[in-house]
C-alpha cells in the first residue's frame, strides 16, 4: 500500500495578490493531507475520506467527460481529468483521504487534497514540480470552478523546512527565505466560515479586472505602480480603486517583508503584517468581525510582533509572529478572550515551515 502526503500552507504576507501576478510569501506547514492508495479490482476510482462521510465510485472511462458533482470528490476528479488530458492513463485504485489540516479554514486543505491525490493518481509517473502545481491549479479552476491563483498548490509542492517561499506569481519562480530566529508562527482558527467566501472571491477577481481596465497596456495589477494609481484615481470607481490600492500596496509590503526578514527585523515584519490586515479589512473588504477581533486581541498581548488574517478571508485563521517565550501566554490569552466574546474555542497551531508533497510509504 502506498501513501502520499501534501502539506497545507499558511501565507505570511501577500494576500489576494497571486491572481494579480504579484508576490506572496507562504510556508508549507506540517499539517496536510494524506492519501492511502490500494488496488481496485474493477476499472474504477473509489474514493473515501476520514473527514467526510460516504464512499463514491467513478468508472475510469466516465471521468474525462463528467460534470462536477458539488461534493468534495470534485477536487480529486478534477485532478484525474487534468492527468487524463496530459495523455497519462488513469489506473483503477482506491484512495482513502485523511487530512490533519482543518478544512475550509484558509490553510488550503483543498490544495493539499489536490496535490496528494495528483501524486497518488500519477502512480509514480514523474512530473516536474511546477507542472504538478499547475495541474492542480487547473483542476480547481476548470473543474471545481474556483478561479484561484497558483499560491496554494505551489506552496504545497515546493515547501521546504525552515524556509518561507517568496513566490513571484508572474514568472512563477520562487526564492527561499529563512525565517529569522526569535519568533514563532502561530496560527489561530476563528472556527467560523462565512458563506460569502467563495462568491466574494470571484467578485474580488472581477473587481481587480475592472480596476485593471483603467490601465490600458498593463497586463495585471502587478504592473500598475502607486504613481499610476494616483494619476488615474479620479477616473476609477471607489470600489475597484480600493481593491487596486490593496493589491499594489500589498505587493510592496511583500518586498519590504522580504528585506526585513533578511535583516532579522521582526518588529518591521510584524508591522507589515498588521498593515496587510488593515488593508484587507478596509480596502479589500475580505475580513470579518471574528478575524478583526482576533487580530486586535493578539495585538494587545505581550511578545506579539504582528498579526493578520491569512487565506481568502471571511473566517478561517489569523497568523501571528510571537516571541517564543511569550507563546504559551499568548495562546491562553487569545483563547480566553475569543471564547468570552464568541463562545467558541479557537484551535491554535504552532506552525513551522515544512517539506513539500512527497511519497511517505
Ligand atoms: P481551504 O482550502 O482553505 O481549506 P476550501 O474551501 O478551498 O478551504 O477547501 C475545502 C474543501 O476541500 C472541503 O470543503 C472539501 O470539499 C475539500 N477537502 C479538503 N480536505 C478534505 C478531506 N480531508 N477530505 C475530503 N475533502 C476535503
Ligand atoms: Mg482552498
Amino acid at each position: 500500500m502506498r501513501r502520499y502526503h501534501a502539506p497545507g500552507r499558511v501565507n505570511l504576507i501577500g494576500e489576494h495578490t497571486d491572481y494579480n501576478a504579484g508576490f506572496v510569501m507562504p510556508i508549507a506547514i506540517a499539517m496536510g493531507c494524506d492519501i492511502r492508495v490500494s488496488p481496485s479490482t474493477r476499472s474504477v476510482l473509489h474514493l473515501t475520506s476520514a473527514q467526510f462521510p460516504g464512499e463514491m465510485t467513478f468508472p475510469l472511462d466516465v471521468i474525462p467527460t463528467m460534470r462536477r458533482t458539488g461534493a468534495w470528490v470534485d477536487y480529486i476528479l478534477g485532478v484525474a481529468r487534468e492527468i487524463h488530458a496530459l495523455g497519462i492513463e488513469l489506473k483503477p485504485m482506491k484512495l482513502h483521504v485523511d487530512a490533519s489540516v482543518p478544512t475550509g479554514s484558509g490553510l488550503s486543505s483543498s490544495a493539499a487534497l489536490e496535490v496528494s491525490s495528483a501524486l497518488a493518481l500519477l502512480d509514480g509517473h514523474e512530473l516536474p514540480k511546477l507542472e504538478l502545481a499547475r495541474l492542480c491549479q487547473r483542476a480547481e479552476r476548470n473543474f471545481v470552478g474556483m478561479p484561484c491563483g497558483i499560491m496554494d498548490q505551489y506552496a504545497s509542492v515546493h515547501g521546504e523546512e525552515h524556509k518561507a517561499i517568496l513566490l513571484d506569481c508572474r514568472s512563477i519562480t520562487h526564492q527561499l527565505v529563512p525565517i529569522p530566529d526569535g519568533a514563532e508562527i502561530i496560527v489561530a482558527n476563528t472556527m467560523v466560515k462565512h458563506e460569502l467566501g467563495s462568491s466574494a472571491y470571484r467578485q474580488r477577481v472581477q473587481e481587480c479586472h475592472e480596476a485593471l481596465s483603467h490601465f490600458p497596456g498593463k497586463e495585471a495589477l502587478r504592473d500598475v505602480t502607486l504613481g499610476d494609481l494616483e494619476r488615474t484615481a479620479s477616473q476609477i470607481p471607489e470600489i475597484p480603486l480600493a481593491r487596486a490600492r490593496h493589491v499594489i500596496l500589498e505587493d510592496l509590503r511583500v518586498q519590504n517583508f522580504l528585506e526585513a526578514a533578511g535583516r532579522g527585523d521582526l518588529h518591521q515584519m510584524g508591522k507589515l503584517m498588521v498593515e496587510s490586515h488593515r488593508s484587507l479589512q478596509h480596502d479589500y473588504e475580505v475580513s470579518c468581525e471574528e478575524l478583526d477581533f482576533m487580530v486586535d486581541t493578539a495585538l494587545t498581548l505581550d511578545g506579539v510582533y504582528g498579526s493578520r488574517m491569512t487565506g481568502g478571508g471571511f473566517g478561517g485563521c489569523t497568523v501571528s509572529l510571537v516571541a517564543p517565550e511569550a507563546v504559551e501566554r499568548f495562546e491562553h490569552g487569545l483563547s480566553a478572550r475569543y471564547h468570552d466574546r464568541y463562545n467558541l474555542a479557537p484551535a491554535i497551531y504552532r506552525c513551522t515551515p515544512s517539506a513539500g508533497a512527497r511519497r511517505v510509504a
Side-chain angles (χ1 to χ4, degrees), residues 9-284:
R9 60 99 190 94
V10 52
N11 190 22
L12 300 182
I13 197 158
E15 212 66 76
H16 288 279
T17 47
D18 62 345
Y19 54 82
N20 291 297
F23 298 94
V24 295
M25 205 190 290
I27 60 167
I29 58 181
M31 293 183 290
C33 186
D34 271 19
I35 294 204
R36 217 175 54 215
V37 184
S38 52
S40 165
T41 47
R42 293 187 295 140
S43 189
V44 297
L45 200 56
H46 176 273
L47 305 175
T48 50
S49 165
Q51 282 71 44
F52 288 76
E55 44 186 284
M56 289 189 236
T57 303
F58 302 93
L60 291 179
D61 55 351
V62 168
I63 291 172
T65 54
M66 273 186 66
R67 285 172 164 274
R68 70 165 157 257
T69 68
W72 63 271
V73 289
D74 285 353
Y75 293 90
I76 301 181
L77 295 172
V79 166
R81 288 161 60 95
E82 294 297 335
I83 289 175
H84 173 82
L86 291 180
I88 300 170
E89 192 194 350
L90 295 173
K91 307 224 178 98
M93 54 178 88
K94 294 182 176 175
L95 302 186
H96 179 68
V97 177
D98 193 358
S100 52
V101 60
T103 61
S105 300
L107 303 182
S108 209
S109 67
S110 57
L113 176 59
E114 289 151 11
V115 174
S116 54
S117 62
L119 291 179
L121 292 167
L122 283 165
D123 190 34
H125 195 111
E126 294 260 337
L127 279 188
K129 283 186 171 183
L130 179 56
E131 287 313 306
L132 178 62
R134 287 188 130 145
L135 181 149
C136 292
Q137 183 198 19
R138 287 199 301 277
E140 188 155 342
R141 293 180 69 100
N142 298 345
F143 195 67
V144 178
M146 176 58 84
C148 61
I150 186 73
M151 168 169 67
D152 299 354
Q153 295 81 4
Y154 195 97
S156 185
V157 169
H158 291 85
E160 297 245 1
E161 286 181 11
H162 313 300
K163 307 270 191 345
I165 301 164
L166 172 70
L167 170 61
D168 177 336
C169 298
R170 160 150 298 142
S171 62
I172 321 214
T173 54
H174 72 278
Q175 138 186 12
L176 293 172
V177 182
I179 303 292
D181 290 337
E184 291 214 33
I185 297 164
I186 310 296
V187 170
N189 194 336
T190 61
M191 314 306 274
V192 299
K193 184 182 185 183
H194 297 294
E195 275 315 311
L196 211 55
S198 66
S199 60
Y201 190 96
R202 284 172 234 278
Q203 197 184 2
R204 294 298 176 275
V205 173
Q206 198 44 47
E207 288 160 353
C208 287
H209 276 291
E210 190 186 338
L212 183 65
S213 70
H214 293 271
F215 300 94
K218 307 272 187 191
E219 261 177 46
L221 284 181
R222 148 77 173 271
D223 305 310
V224 179
T225 65
L226 210 48
D228 294 335
L229 191 70
E230 277 160 11
R231 277 190 295 279
T232 316
S234 62
Q235 292 150 44
I236 308 178
E238 192 183 340
I239 287 180
L241 177 66
R243 307 306 188 231
R245 188 164 55 228
H246 165 74
V247 171
I248 293 165
L249 290 170
E250 185 78 353
D251 273 338
L252 294 171
R253 279 189 284 271
V254 178
Q255 299 298 335
N256 292 336
F257 191 88
L258 173 70
E259 267 173 40
R263 294 194 306 271
D265 187 345
L266 290 163
H267 288 282
Q268 181 63 12
M269 291 165 73
K271 186 165 163 269
L272 290 161
M273 290 169 75
V274 178
E275 285 175 15
S276 168
H277 184 79
R278 297 301 173 214
S279 177
L280 289 158
Q281 181 179 2
H282 301 300
D283 273 347
Y284 218 67

